[in-house]
Amino acid sequence: MPNIVVLVKQVPDTYSERKLREDDFTMDRESSDVVLDEINENAVEAALQIKEKHGGKVTVATIGPEGAIDALRKALSMGADDAVILSDDAIAGSDAVQTGWALSSVLDTIEGTDLIVAGNASTDGGTGAVPAILGVYRGLPVLSNLRSVEVDGSSISGERETEDGIYQVKANLPAIISVTEKANSPRFASFKGIMAAKKKPVAKLTLDDVAAEAEQVGAENAATAVTAVAPKPEKTAGEIITDDGNGAAKVVEYLKAQKFI
């Protein structure tokens, strides 16, 4: 019966206008609506399916401002059992390495974790590196970019999909996995689930409650930084291929160059 922790994140809604602050190039939370990242719904669903087959418990964890509790409530309404948030002004602007360290300190407060589940990449940062970074800090195997997940006793396996192909991967528990949108179809929260989520426990932590120190996190201590931003280029008409007898071959070469085939 694995005890599972799902790492979730509150991000700007992809249907809203997304901006960075002009002073420090961190996310401008006032310029757009914020929601539970869609890929995190796949991660929660993967954890719930494992729980339904093998028992155990599902905890959702996040780092962010206090308002990120709304994202936790969404996961709880899907069926997670409880939640934890690390919220501290000193964490603002942390890069992927610092985020991994802070998340590792949160995991230290959760007893008996057998499996950590995350999305393969957030829709705001998109580094896709946090699960692997967390694996280094925790000394755990990492199975990333899984499009299927199966737990069998003390091991976990699945299909890992990359640009180079599909691989069968397996690791002993405890372990860390990240899933893609192909892993499942997230369930909708029922009215009963939404009402129940309001009563489920959410542990609120600050840096004083965990091993991470203020000097180890935050924009001023980050190893990487955004120094400039530019608007996304407008969409163009694309490349026009003239069929002069070998149009099909040209299309195939274009698709190969773009790694579509």
Side-chain angles (χ1 to χ4, degrees):
M1 295 190 296
N3 288 324
I4 307 168
V5 176
V6 185
L7 307 180
V8 301
K9 187 177 185 182
Q10 187 184 63
V11 299
D13 192 334
T14 54
Y15 295 101
S16 299
E17 183 179 10
R18 294 177 289 178
K19 296 181 179 180
L20 298 181
R21 292 166 53 93
E22 294 182 358
D23 53 352
D24 58 6
F25 302 116
T26 58
M27 185 177 75
D28 184 354
R29 294 179 177 271
E30 303 299 325
S31 66
S32 63
D33 297 328
V34 286
V35 297
L36 173 67
D37 199 343
E38 291 182 8
I39 191 62
N40 293 157
E41 295 185 27
N42 295 96
V44 173
E45 179 64 30
L48 293 175
Q49 289 184 13
I50 293 172
K51 176 187 173 181
E52 289 165 354
K53 287 184 179 180
H54 304 282
K57 176 184 176 184
V58 176
T59 298
V60 286
T62 194
I63 296 175
E66 189 170 346
I69 290 178
D70 291 341
L72 295 177
R73 293 292 182 196
K74 174 67 180 295
L76 291 171
S77 70
M78 292 175 64
D81 298 291
D82 58 14
V84 57
I85 179 173
L86 174 60
S87 184
D88 199 299
D89 290 343
I91 302 175
S94 295
D95 62 14
V97 174
Q98 294 169 314
T99 298
W101 176 246
L103 284 171
S104 183
S105 72
V106 172
L107 290 168
D108 286 336
T109 70
I110 303 172
E111 295 184 3
T113 300
D114 302 297
L115 178 64
I116 301 164
V117 186
N120 64 316
S122 64
T123 55
D124 57 350
T127 66
V130 170
I133 292 170
L134 192 57
V136 173
Y137 287 139
R138 306 298 295 178
L140 294 176
V142 180
L143 305 182
S144 60
N145 297 313
L146 297 185
R147 70 175 193 179
S148 66
V149 180
E150 185 65 40
V151 171
D152 182 13
S154 61
S155 66
I156 186 166
S157 60
E159 292 181 323
R160 181 176 190 264
E161 184 174 9
T162 70
E163 293 181 352
D164 299 321
I166 298 171
Y167 304 86
Q168 292 286 342
V169 292
K170 184 176 182 179
N172 291 326
L173 296 173
I176 300 170
I177 66 170
S178 69
V179 299
T180 71
E181 71 280 357
K182 295 181 181 180
N184 51 55
S185 296
R187 66 194 67 187
F188 291 101
S190 64
F191 177 75
K192 181 179 179 181
I194 293 171
M195 297 306 294
K198 296 180 180 180
K199 299 180 180 179
K200 292 180 179 179
V202 178
K204 301 177 183 179
L205 307 176
T206 68
L207 287 178
D208 291 335
D209 302 309
V210 298
E213 302 288 343
E215 294 77 15
Q216 299 170 323
V217 295
E220 293 185 358
N221 305 305
T224 60
V226 177
T227 58
V229 296
K232 183 178 179 180
E234 294 185 5
K235 290 185 177 180
T236 62
E239 183 176 340
I240 299 176
I241 296 176
T242 301
D243 187 0
D244 53 4
N246 61 346
K250 290 181 179 180
V251 171
V252 170
E253 288 302 317
Y254 175 80
L255 293 176
K256 286 183 177 179
Q258 301 300 317
K259 296 184 177 181
F260 290 127
I261 59 175

